[in-house]
Amino acid sequence: MASGPGRALARAEDLFEELAWREQARQAVLCLETRQEPPAEIVEKVSERCGAQASALTFLIAPTASICGSVQISARVVETALHKLHELGVDPARVRHGWGCCPIAPVAKSDPAAIGRTNDAVLYGGTVHLWIEGPDDEVADLAARLPSAASEAFGTPFGELLEAADWNFYDIDPMLFSPAEVTLTSTESGRAHHGGGLAPEVLERSVNQ
């Protein structure tokens, strides 16, 4: 799995067309969740997709079961909220400011276990505050639909959900992928609307598996 600014050059997702977002650069940086350096054929493929020379690529490599792995996933808590907004049909460009905090998952003994723990840190421990353009009635509705609690899968540790889905992320309810607790402030009225709540009991269950 790769994250980082190089994705905006590779444009592997339809999302970039939807948002009409395009970037140009002669260098690219990608973070890989792995324990091994990428083989030459993968480097060449990334080079072609990003439009950058292989010598201009930088790969940051860290396994999920590491301090770096835990930190970089928790650091995505605001990004996760923006992704959920997009899933709800809201243009992320309407968000004017964003703030978030998230616990950092203890390092697990294996990468599969770490995938569960690190996602649970966001789903059951993440808090996000967004300032968004829109009237109060719409913003209040979004505040109720944005948190992970809006999903029927809420309450089950992510590792258990993945195992039940035979490790296919796309078989898990996409409405789950969001912070546990959100506050949305309407930039039109200045009023704040709260949704969801932290679920420390699920986090405890997750880290003790």
Side-chain angles (χ1 to χ4, degrees):
M1 291 184 283
S3 58
R7 292 176 70 98
L9 297 176
R11 297 176 61 85
E13 297 100 343
D14 294 337
L15 175 66
F16 293 100
E17 292 296 336
E18 293 178 33
L19 301 179
W21 188 271
R22 183 175 297 276
E23 294 187 12
Q24 291 183 330
R26 287 180 289 185
Q27 295 180 315
V29 178
L30 286 166
C31 177
L32 305 182
E33 286 185 54
T34 181
R35 293 182 179 273
Q36 301 175 339
E37 295 184 7
E41 57 268 26
I42 294 298
V43 174
E44 186 61 32
K45 181 178 180 179
V46 172
S47 172
E48 293 176 2
R49 294 297 297 267
C50 292
Q53 296 292 326
S55 59
L57 301 179
T58 298
F59 292 98
L60 307 177
I61 299 171
T64 312
S66 69
I67 294 175
C68 288
S70 292
V71 169
Q72 67 101 358
I73 292 175
S74 291
R76 299 183 193 181
V77 67
V78 174
E79 172 195 341
T80 305
L82 295 176
H83 171 77
K84 178 67 172 288
L85 278 178
H86 181 258
E87 289 289 323
L88 294 174
V90 178
D91 183 357
R94 289 172 53 188
V95 176
R96 310 315 302 159
H97 303 283
W99 171 94
C101 65
C102 185
I104 296 172
V107 178
K109 292 182 179 180
S110 67
D111 291 329
I115 291 174
R117 283 188 182 185
T118 53
N119 278 278
D120 286 334
V122 176
L123 303 179
Y124 301 111
T127 300
V128 168
H129 190 162
L130 303 178
W131 285 257
I132 184 170
E133 297 173 348
D136 275 317
D137 55 349
E138 181 190 10
V139 174
D141 178 65
L142 286 174
R145 299 165 63 200
L146 186 58
S148 53
S151 167
E152 293 182 358
F154 181 85
T156 302
F158 191 72
E160 294 181 19
L161 293 173
L162 263 180
E163 188 174 355
D166 198 24
W167 292 85
N168 186 346
F169 279 85
Y170 297 102
D171 285 345
I172 297 176
D173 180 10
M175 294 296 101
L176 179 67
F177 294 96
S178 45
E181 185 174 42
V182 302
T183 299
L184 301 184
T185 295
S186 166
T187 58
E188 294 183 9
S189 70
R191 293 189 180 93
H193 305 272
H194 181 265
L198 303 181
E201 69 284 355
V202 185
L203 280 178
E204 183 176 10
R205 179 177 161 191
S206 175
V207 300
N208 287 323
Q209 286 181 336

